[in-house]
Amino acid sequence: MKQVISMTLAALFLFGQAAFAGVAYNPETKVLTIEGKTDAALWRDVASGVANNADIVSVHMSGPGGYLGYGLAIGDLLHDLGVPVIVPEKKQCISACAIAAMAAPRIVVDGQLWFHGPYFPNVPSDWSFQKYGNALSSANIDVALRFAKWGFPIALWQDIVERTTACVFIVVNDVHAGALNALRNEDMLAAYVPLVGVESDFCTGELGA
């Protein structure tokens, strides 16, 4: 728990859509649905949903983002669960939600995954530049190590961090999902193939083709 709380310092983008924590299990389809802001409440609900339903066959996931630490914690639950994550059509899994989805053994993107690197929306005024830099570096290391645990090359996270900002995302849709899944278990010493997606600035409205 202490580790999760410490990692919440690195908050990811929270987009302007309704933010609520919601986890529901359908016993007929055996689908666990996860929706809402990536925060402590969602993490607790996901943990409960996974623990109380042993026959889950897939996870439907969407949300506006939230806290990186809880995204990683939810990702660990999904990694242990070991079933595909599906981003439903016309839904977005943004920022910390997208990080969590990466833990699944296969990601089906009927909607969109939005990736960007971590940032701090409200930096305390008494933080030095060095303290800010150290905290950001720690957050990036946390994600890179998790990507390696989940089967992705560390270079994938480095690529995302270098190409994105608090506003600029790499958006992965159904066209790009195959290339994303193909990066899993790539030889970390081999030449890295950059993540395929549409780079879009959602602060200025300059969306990629």
Side-chain angles (χ1 to χ4, degrees), residues 120 127-141:
F120 296 83
W127 274 30
S128 66
F129 286 119
Q130 181 173 355
K131 185 172 183 178
Y132 177 84
N134 289 344
L136 203 57
S137 295
S138 178
N140 283 320
I141 291 170

Side-chain angles (χ1 to χ4, degrees), residues 21 28 37 48 51 53 64 70 114 116 121 123 139 156 165 168 189-190 201-202:
E28 295 183 0
K37 181 180 178 181
S48 177
N53 300 286
Y70 290 114
W114 296 13
H116 73 163
V123 179
L156 171 59
T165 68
V168 176
L189 299 179
D201 190 325
F202 288 89

Side-chain angles (χ1 to χ4, degrees), residues 65-79:
Y67 296 98
L68 175 59
Y70 290 114
L72 294 173
I74 291 171
D76 284 337
L77 292 171
L78 297 178
H79 182 259

Side-chain angles (χ1 to χ4, degrees), residues 3-4 13 34 51 61 81 85 89 108 110 115 122 136 138 143 147 150 152 155 164 167 169 180 182 189 195 203-204:
Q3 182 184 18
V4 173
F13 192 81
I34 303 171
M61 194 167 181
L81 183 62
V85 161
E89 187 176 1
V108 179
D110 294 327
F115 292 100
N122 299 297
L136 203 57
S138 178
V143 182
F147 271 29
W150 299 338
F152 287 101
T164 63
C167 292
F169 290 77
L180 174 62
L189 299 179
L195 176 62
C203 293
T204 65

